[in-house]
Amino acid sequence: MSPAAPVGIVLVSHSADVAASVAALAVGLSGGGVTAPILPAGGLPDGALGTSAELIRAAAKAVDGGAGVALLVDLGSAVLTVKALLAEGDELPESARLVDAPFVEGAVAALVTASAGGDLDAVAAAASEAYAYRKE
């Protein structure tokens, strides 16, 4: 099940701090060792709150090793921005996929699965399954 390169992960948030913190948390909780590539794409290039197509494109390109790119997003316009980039057809790597998952739990599950050699379908499924995590 291990591709030559692992699935890459991009965390798209309206806040650079939130995206970077969730990426750091996912790496910290992934069990140590070498992890799949994960990058934040948060906020606007000037540091303000918002969603930047430019930052998303750059992060997706940087994590793309050929096995696919899973994009996890936080809120409304982040979803719309990623959908618009995907619709363009040449803005993101061909194998990029928007994953419907909770942002924090999904990021951890996606990174653990990608780091273990899961393909893009397995990474997306693991992240999406995080919706079922109960906290009671």
Side-chain angles (χ1 to χ4, degrees):
M1 179 159 100
S2 293
V7 171
I9 300 164
V10 176
L11 302 178
V12 181
S13 174
H14 287 71
S15 165
D17 291 338
V18 168
S21 294
V22 172
L25 178 65
V27 170
L29 294 177
S30 68
V34 177
T35 64
I38 183 169
L39 285 176
L44 299 176
D46 67 1
L49 294 176
T51 305
S52 166
E54 174 185 340
L55 294 177
I56 296 166
R57 277 192 302 268
K61 182 178 178 182
V63 301
D64 181 26
V69 175
L71 296 122
L72 283 79
V73 300
D74 63 357
L75 302 168
S77 68
V79 175
L80 296 175
T81 302
V82 170
K83 283 184 175 183
L85 289 168
L86 289 167
E88 289 295 319
D90 61 352
E91 294 291 313
L92 295 173
E94 185 177 321
S95 59
R97 182 185 304 176
L98 175 60
V99 177
D100 183 15
F103 194 62
V104 176
E105 295 93 333
V108 174
L111 185 60
V112 168
T113 303
S115 298
D119 64 12
L120 185 56
D121 288 337
V123 169
S128 294
E129 287 168 9
Y131 276 128
Y133 296 172
R134 301 290 306 163
K135 297 177 184 173
E136 55 182 17

